[in-house]
Amino acid sequence: MRVLRLLAILSLGAIIFVMWYPQRYLFGVDLGSQALQDGAFSACTFFWILTRGGRLRSDPYYEFRSSSQTIDAIPVKRNVLQIASELVLLAALLEFGQQLLPNRVSTFHHFLVNSTAVIAGGALCYVVIAMALRTVYGRRFVQYLVTLD
């Protein structure tokens, strides 16, 4: 879980770096490229969803008698919606901040495309998690991801 947290924090730092680096080009890489920004936002969404995971739902009767716990899909859905909304707000803030940088271009279209990448990444993660929760092995894997701490 620490590795996932580290990857989530690094991906967030990469987004801030890509969006707010004062020059448009760094070592020949176009930081204003929409594909680069969309990939960074999608990766950040993926890592934050995996990092936060979901909450465990346990039957009160078996709470102290058994270690069998199941994952509830509703908190995972809330988690995906919360992360997506936070990253959309971050995309708006970063796109607005690009107006202050001299060599960067900020447009509402770029904000919409970055927001779409966040929402699509979150929806894809939710679909994969929901499909995994329907199988025994997938449920075990998701439970392993959630209970690593």
Side-chain angles (χ1 to χ4, degrees), residues 15 19 32-34 37-38 41 84-99 105-120:
I15 285 177
M19 296 290 284
S33 166
Q34 198 63 50
Q37 292 178 9
D38 293 345
F41 273 105
S85 62
E86 288 171 358
L87 287 177
V88 166
L89 289 175
L90 178 69
L93 175 73
L94 293 175
E95 200 66 44
F96 178 74
Q98 279 187 348
Q99 291 181 353
V105 177
S106 173
T107 63
F108 186 68
H109 172 72
H110 286 181
F111 162 70
L112 288 178
V113 174
N114 289 338
S115 300
T116 304
V118 167
I119 293 169

